[in-house]
């Protein structure tokens, strides 16, 4: 599974593009424009190979990557155009994105989290539970938010619960463990 979000945005070039979110700038690091980035990918080493990245959700700007390195579970990123702490601070909270066409290829059985949104969720016995509307990324395991007639249901992304993900038929089969029903 790959942790990523997908956004349809219009970068400064003006043409609408599908983007994959690969990270979020959390804060400056030092005084020379380096920034700490929380990776939103299962392959954080990809940052060390980036030549350029789109920055910002409102109006994505293509920026050249000067260098990137892994540091304590985070990425330390230096963009060519960011040379001081003040400029880096102004980018706090911004998303780092690549066009969907540049997304890392997925192995068999892997998927982007955004691909789960909209799947019908039902039990292995055929009981319809609702639609998966979002994914909460936690430190331990992801949590799937399912909206249905009985309200919101939170399902942990663990093997004991998720039995099958069938993208071709648009559904996810689950087993409800005791205590998961609203």
């Amino acid at each position: 599974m790959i942790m990523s979000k997908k956004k349809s945005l219009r970068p400064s070039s003006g043409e609408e593009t599908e983007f994959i979110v690969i990270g979020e700038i959390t804060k400056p690091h030092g005084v020379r424009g380096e920034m700490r980035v929380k990776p939103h990918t299962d392959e954080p080493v990809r940052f060390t190979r980036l030549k350029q990245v789109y920055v910002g959700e409102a109006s994505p700007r293509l920026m050249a990557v000067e260098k990137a390195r892994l540091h304590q579970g985070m990425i330390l990123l230096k963009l060519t155009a960011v040379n001081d702490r003040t400029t880096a601070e102004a980018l706090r909270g911004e998303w780092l994105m690549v066009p969907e066409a540049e997304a890392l290829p997925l192995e068999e059985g892997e998927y982007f989290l955004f691909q789960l949104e909209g799947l019908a969720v039902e039990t292995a016995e055929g009981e319809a539970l609702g639609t998966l509307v979002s994914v909460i990324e936690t430190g331990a395991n992801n949590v799937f938010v399912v909206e249905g007639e009985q309200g919101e249901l939170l399902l942990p992304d663990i093997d004991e619960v998720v039995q099958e993900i069938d993208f071709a038929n648009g559904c996810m089969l689950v087993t409800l463990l005791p205590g998961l029903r609203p």
Side-chain angles (χ1 to χ4, degrees), residues 72-175:
Q72 299 177 346
M74 300 287 275
I75 308 300
L76 295 182
L77 178 71
K78 171 70 174 76
L79 299 173
T80 304
V82 179
N83 294 310
D84 57 63
R85 187 174 184 86
T86 304
T87 307
E89 178 64 45
L91 295 175
R92 183 190 292 252
E94 293 287 5
W95 285 349
L96 299 174
M97 302 173 293
V98 295
E100 185 175 17
E102 295 176 21
L104 293 176
L106 299 176
E107 299 290 328
E108 187 167 332
E110 289 185 325
Y111 49 85
F112 292 109
L113 291 180
F114 66 79
Q115 293 175 306
L116 298 173
E117 294 177 6
L119 291 180
V121 180
E122 58 185 57
T123 66
E125 295 77 32
E127 178 188 356
L129 299 173
T131 302
L132 195 149
V133 295
S134 66
V135 179
I136 301 169
E137 297 177 46
T138 69
N141 55 264
N142 295 320
V143 176
F144 300 140
V145 180
V146 178
E147 291 286 339
E149 290 181 16
Q150 297 179 14
E152 183 179 85
L153 180 62
L154 302 176
L155 299 175
D157 180 11
I158 57 176
D159 291 340
E160 294 82 14
V161 173
V162 180
Q163 302 304 306
E164 181 182 352
I165 297 173
D166 183 353
F167 289 109
N169 292 311
C171 69
M172 176 187 291
L173 294 178
V174 299
T175 297

Side-chain angles (χ1 to χ4, degrees), residues 2-121:
I2 304 292
M3 295 184 288
S4 291
K5 298 174 180 80
K6 181 177 175 180
K7 293 286 179 185
S8 292
L9 301 170
R10 198 174 298 278
S12 51
S13 65
E15 189 175 314
E16 187 163 307
T17 304
E18 297 288 328
F19 286 101
I20 303 291
V21 176
I22 62 170
E24 179 182 359
I25 298 170
T26 60
K27 65 181 182 177
H29 180 81
V31 295
R32 293 189 172 89
E34 208 169 29
M35 299 167 284
R36 288 178 60 90
V37 172
K38 177 183 178 187
H40 286 254
T41 173
D42 284 349
E43 298 288 334
V45 73
R46 78 167 303 163
F47 282 91
T48 63
R49 297 185 300 267
L50 278 179
K51 301 288 185 225
Q52 56 190 14
V53 66
Y54 282 87
V55 180
E57 180 182 10
S59 179
R61 301 172 309 283
L62 184 61
M63 300 180 85
V65 174
E66 188 173 310
K67 65 179 178 177
R69 58 193 167 103
L70 302 173
H71 179 70
Q72 299 177 346
M74 300 287 275
I75 308 300
L76 295 182
L77 178 71
K78 171 70 174 76
L79 299 173
T80 304
V82 179
N83 294 310
D84 57 63
R85 187 174 184 86
T86 304
T87 307
E89 178 64 45
L91 295 175
R92 183 190 292 252
E94 293 287 5
W95 285 349
L96 299 174
M97 302 173 293
V98 295
E100 185 175 17
E102 295 176 21
L104 293 176
L106 299 176
E107 299 290 328
E108 187 167 332
E110 289 185 325
Y111 49 85
F112 292 109
L113 291 180
F114 66 79
Q115 293 175 306
L116 298 173
E117 294 177 6
L119 291 180
V121 180

